[in-house]
Amino acid sequence: EAAVTQSPRNKVAVTGGKVTLSCNQTNNHNNMYWYRQDTGHGLRLIHYSYGAGSTEKGDIPDGYKASRPSQENFSLILELATPSQTSVYFCASGEWGLGTGQLYFGEGSKLTVL
Amino acid sequence: SQLAEENLWALSVHEGESVTVNCSYKTSITALQWYRQKSGEGPAQLILIRSNEREKRNGRLRATLDTSSQSSSLSITATRCEDTAVYFCATDEDTNAYKVIFGKGTHLHVLP
């Protein structure tokens, strides 16, 4: 069974502070993704990666950076957190391409920015 | 950009009834997938249907794909309370098969 682990699961941050959400996968998947989920918006893609050293912008990258130091790890970084970034964040890994594959999701990280 | 979108925010059915969730998408695709997300969990894949397929089944689930109208449906027969969840469709972009975009989701409530 594919495994994606996110940490922390819950985080309270102050406005202007730095937040790092971490994701680890043991599936040896090349592709990893960060989404945020908000009521009325579904899952929106923030950043994704093809493999170690690569990061690509998704649909809502502003205010977020990503880092993929290894095949297993993919981090989402909020350098200056704002209340609008309060959300639930999901990491996923998968081998999606050319009509095959699927994404495997972690259990989510709930971030509250005060 | 919202490449894929379910057409209903929420719907309710009684246990044992059948229900259909619909999705429309905006670009040509290589495949469309349906995911289910139960409360407190991450989404999990239900069905993948490729662009050259018209129908796919998985137990009580049946997905259809109409590339001419750029739409898909997910039907669940003999619903159970545990089918209560948010259902998403997800697609790739025609210019980037690795960029995976989800719709806003349909909240399904199955009542006893």
Side-chain angles (χ1 to χ4, degrees):
Chain A
E1 179 72 18
V4 178
T5 305
Q6 296 182 225
S7 63
R9 294 291 313 280
N10 286 282
K11 173 75 175 178
V12 178
V14 296
T15 297
K18 182 177 180 179
V19 176
T20 300
L21 303 179
S22 300
C23 179
N24 176 273
Q25 56 114 347
T26 59
N27 313 313
N28 199 32
H29 289 150
N30 288 320
N31 302 330
M32 296 187 74
Y33 304 79
W34 276 107
Y35 295 88
R36 63 177 284 177
Q37 185 171 30
D38 306 283
T39 301
H41 292 282
L43 288 162
R44 291 182 290 174
L45 181 62
I46 307 171
H47 285 288
Y48 60 106
S49 169
Y50 297 122
S54 87
T55 61
E56 303 291 332
K57 293 181 180 179
D59 290 335
I60 54 164
D62 292 346
Y64 302 95
K65 292 171 63 176
S67 173
R68 182 88 182 268
S70 65
Q71 180 81 339
E72 297 77 22
N73 295 296
F74 190 37
S75 297
L76 186 68
I77 304 154
L78 291 69
E79 295 278 5
L80 295 170
T82 68
S84 65
Q85 294 175 313
T86 293
S87 185
V88 180
Y89 293 84
F90 286 94
C91 176
S93 75
E95 296 292 358
W96 180 309
L98 303 177
T100 64
Q102 68 179 78
L103 298 189
Y104 297 88
F105 282 82
E107 295 186 335
S109 294
K110 184 177 181 180
L111 172 65
T112 303
V113 183
L114 302 175
Chain B
S1 62
Q2 200 75 36
L3 291 182
E5 196 158 297
E6 300 78 5
N7 67 347
L8 271 181
W9 171 243
L11 67 160
S12 297
V13 297
H14 286 96
E15 212 172 14
E17 294 179 337
S18 296
V19 65
T20 297
V21 178
N22 295 298
C23 165
S24 58
Y25 58 91
K26 295 182 180 178
T27 70
S28 60
I29 59 173
T30 58
L32 183 143
Q33 299 195 14
W34 284 95
Y35 284 76
R36 175 174 64 193
Q37 183 182 28
K38 296 190 174 183
S39 181
E41 301 178 1
Q45 187 204 49
L46 297 174
I47 288 182
L48 178 153
I49 184 164
R50 295 183 176 83
S51 58
N52 62 351
E53 297 175 317
R54 292 295 167 261
E55 179 180 302
K56 201 76 168 285
R57 292 178 183 267
N58 180 7
R60 296 183 294 113
L61 307 176
R62 173 179 171 260
T64 65
L65 182 65
D66 184 341
T67 53
S68 63
S69 64
Q70 296 188 312
S71 65
S72 175
S73 69
L74 176 70
S75 297
I76 308 172
T77 57
T79 54
R80 305 166 182 167
C81 288
E82 53 262 40
D83 293 326
T84 293
V86 182
Y87 291 81
F88 294 96
C89 62
T91 65
D92 48 26
E93 274 190 348
D94 58 350
T95 56
N96 183 349
Y98 301 96
K99 183 179 178 182
V100 182
I101 304 298
F102 284 74
K104 294 181 180 179
T106 293
H107 294 247
L108 172 64
H109 300 272
V110 180
L111 307 170

